[in-house]
Amino acid sequence: MARTIVITGGTSGIGKALARRHTELGDHVIAVGSSEEGGRRLREEAPGARFVRSDLSSLSQTRDLVERLSSEHPAIDALVLAAFRFNLARTETGEGFEHTFALYVLNRWLMAEGLRGPLENAPAPVIVNLCGAGQGGRIHWDDLQLKSGYRALTATMQGARAGELLGAAYRSERTKYVLYNPVYVATALHEPFRQPLRGLVRLASAIFAQPVAKAVPPIAALIDHPPAEPLTTWKKGKPIDLTVDPDEARRLEETIRTLTHSALS
Ligand SMILES: NC(=O)c1ccc[n+]([C@@H]2O[C@H](COP(=O)([O-])OP(=O)(O)OC[C@H]3O[C@@H](n4cnc5c(N)ncnc54)[C@H](OP(=O)(O)O)[C@@H]3O)[C@@H](O)[C@H]2O)c1
């Protein structure tokens, strides 16, 4: 039976490859990205997928998207969270959040929470959060928005740790939560950089990174056959142990609930 699969960041790299795979299998794929350029790429490579344009670093656009998807799709089988941008310099969204935090943390929490109803209606629902699980990183509780001493890697690592904590905090009777770290995959990693660094990153990625075609099958397998456990963590196809302080997980979830609620009210 055809499944309904929502993929944020489904217009490039791993997300786009998953969009193509699942449309070829006859599934209904909704791929979300912020640019028309991404939509054009998707139409070329996965013409059966539906492109939805939305800036997912915006909480209000995320809320509108979630409402639209919930009304159009009573059941959603898989939610793949893959929208990401590596921000070399600190930028703030129109709603006043540091961009990496908005896209990598707030958006992912809002998508998972907002689509809870349609996910629970599917026969074997799964959330696959493509992230940097198992690589360290910490929450900067004294400066969540990284206003002082911003570094792109610090923001990325904080987002990765937040993903682990929010995965651990996610509660569902039926929907399985998968944290998946693909580690190093040749996608658009070079794009944020200027020349000559851009060329070097591209070259390193061509030599050392895993091709997208190799990275996708273990992720697709988790969509096809969600694990039995409520939360599992994977690194390049292998399960890994995750250590999470449940108090910190609850604290982060409460903080995000409060931040998003006040930004959206
Ligand atoms: N590639 C790796 O080596 C690697 C390693 C570890 C983890 N990961 C994780 O795997 C996931 C996929 O990575 P990837 O390398 O395949 O990604 P990618 O090729 O860089 O694609 C990123 C996607 O996110 C979308 N996006 C960015 N900003 C957005 C916004 N504001 N609103 C909506 N969509 C937005 C992009 O579309 P637009 O540009 O059109 O917005 C694009 O579809 C990410 O979550 C990443 O953290 C990747």
Side-chain angles (χ1 to χ4, degrees):
M1 208 177 92
R3 295 165 294 181
T4 298
I5 301 182
V6 174
I7 309 175
T8 69
T11 59
S12 171
I14 302 168
K16 175 163 60 79
L18 284 169
R20 188 169 63 202
R21 177 192 187 266
H22 285 283
T23 50
E24 283 170 1
L25 287 174
D27 293 329
H28 302 300
V29 173
I30 300 107
V32 189
S34 70
S35 68
E36 272 311 323
E37 169 61 19
R40 190 192 54 71
R41 272 195 310 261
L42 183 79
R43 277 190 288 275
E44 273 175 18
E45 292 181 42
R50 176 176 159 215
F51 170 59
V52 175
R53 187 173 180 184
S54 176
D55 177 359
L56 299 175
S57 69
S58 155
L59 301 193
S60 58
Q61 288 195 38
T62 300
R63 177 195 52 199
D64 293 350
L65 175 72
V66 157
E67 282 174 5
R68 185 172 157 194
L69 292 175
S70 300
S71 70
E72 290 173 354
H73 304 281
I76 291 175
D77 297 86
L79 169 63
V80 180
L81 300 168
F84 179 74
R85 185 142 297 148
F86 189 70
N87 292 302
L88 288 175
R90 184 180 187 280
T91 51
E92 270 189 17
T93 65
E95 291 157 339
F97 296 105
E98 186 277 312
H99 189 277
T100 311
F101 191 79
L103 182 62
Y104 199 16
V105 182
L106 301 178
N107 167 265
R108 291 184 184 209
W109 182 79
L110 274 177
M111 295 292 301
E113 283 305 315
L115 295 177
R116 191 179 270 280
L119 281 162
E120 295 286 304
N121 287 337
V126 64
I127 297 172
V128 178
N129 187 345
L130 294 177
C131 57
Q135 297 206 158
R138 69 181 179 89
I139 305 299
H140 296 254
W141 284 109
D142 54 342
D143 183 18
L144 271 185
Q145 304 303 316
L146 302 178
K147 287 189 176 164
S148 65
Y150 174 89
R151 287 173 61 216
L153 199 57
T154 307
T156 303
M157 297 290 277
Q158 170 169 262
R161 181 62 181 155
E164 294 175 349
L165 293 165
L166 295 175
Y170 190 80
R171 291 278 168 272
S172 163
E173 292 295 317
R174 306 185 65 244
T175 306
K176 311 303 179 193
Y177 202 108
V178 171
L179 291 162
Y180 192 98
N181 181 353
V183 181
Y184 188 22
V185 183
T187 56
L189 298 170
H190 56 282
E191 273 182 6
F193 299 95
R194 291 215 185 120
Q195 293 292 16
L197 199 51
R198 190 183 170 107
L200 287 174
V201 173
R202 190 172 208 159
L203 182 66
S205 160
I207 297 171
F208 299 112
Q210 196 178 39
V212 172
K214 272 198 145 182
V216 161
I219 305 171
L222 290 161
I223 296 173
D224 292 346
H225 306 288
E229 299 82 13
L231 172 70
T232 51
T233 309
W234 304 76
K235 212 168 171 182
K236 213 176 169 181
K238 297 208 167 62
I240 60 166
D241 288 332
L242 179 66
T243 312
V244 164
D245 172 1
D247 289 338
E248 190 180 28
R250 269 192 296 274
R251 180 181 176 195
L252 185 65
E253 195 185 34
E254 255 333 290
T255 304
I256 286 172
R257 200 181 290 282
T258 308
L259 283 176
T260 52
H261 186 262
S262 58
L264 287 172
S265 52

